[in-house]
Amino acid sequence: MTSWNDVEIAEPEFAARVRRIFDAHKHKTIATLRADGSPRISGIEIEFVDGELTFGSMPGARKGADLLRDPRFALHSGSADPPEGAPGAWTGDAKVAGRARSTGDLAGEIPGQGFAADLTEVVRTGLNEAGDRLVVEFWRPGEPLRRVERI
């Protein structure tokens, strides 16, 4: 099991960049697997709580049923376009993948099922300073942070 805290310990600067991207927009997109194995995309909100990346599913929502049946997921941050005239200043977007671990029923005014992410991959995609190359940084448990530039 790899929590968000493990990413922060292993690669604190990278984790901070990724978290800023996730925190910049309220709405994210999660991919889950339907019973027949086909993908399902749903809107979702997340929180970072006590070193965990957490999220929930409302009662009766298909994404919650998907995750209880097959916990594999991919989560994508919101994203904005690169600034006009300064593409290198784009903060980029972030993705994580892993397995959702049920944390039980949500407490509060909105009922539902809670989940915490056991991470298998964390990715930040952006542009280099000149804005002419795509930069992909990715981290996996037990491996060093990798950076790839593409034209």
Side-chain angles (χ1 to χ4, degrees), residues 7 14 17 19 26 31 39 45 55 59-60 65 71 75 96 105 116 124 132 134 137 141-143 145 147:
V7 182
F14 172 69
R17 286 193 305 275
R19 182 161 176 180
K26 183 175 185 173
E45 297 173 19
F55 48 90
L75 176 73
V96 299
D105 291 336
R124 180 197 164 269
D132 60 359
L134 185 68
E137 297 175 285
E143 297 180 18
L145 180 66
R147 177 186 168 108

Side-chain angles (χ1 to χ4, degrees), residues 2 7-8 11-12 25 28 31 47 50 54 56-57 67 71 74 76 83 86 100 111 121 123 129 133 142-144:
T2 301
V7 182
E8 291 178 316
E11 294 292 341
H25 301 280
K28 286 76 169 154
E47 290 185 299
D50 297 328
T54 65
S57 180
L67 293 169
H76 189 270
E121 183 176 64
V123 179
E129 251 183 67
R133 289 183 183 262
E143 297 180 18

Side-chain angles (χ1 to χ4, degrees), residues 9-10 14 31-33 37 42 44 55 68 75 83 91 94 97 102 108 133 135 146 151:
I9 290 169
F14 172 69
T32 59
L33 295 170
S42 304
I44 198 162
F55 48 90
L68 291 172
L75 176 73
T91 57
S102 175
R133 289 183 183 262
V135 176
R146 293 190 52 206
I151 295 177

Side-chain angles (χ1 to χ4, degrees), residues 93-105:
D93 61 16
K95 298 172 272 229
V96 299
R99 295 187 181 326
R101 177 175 31 87
S102 175
T103 57
D105 291 336

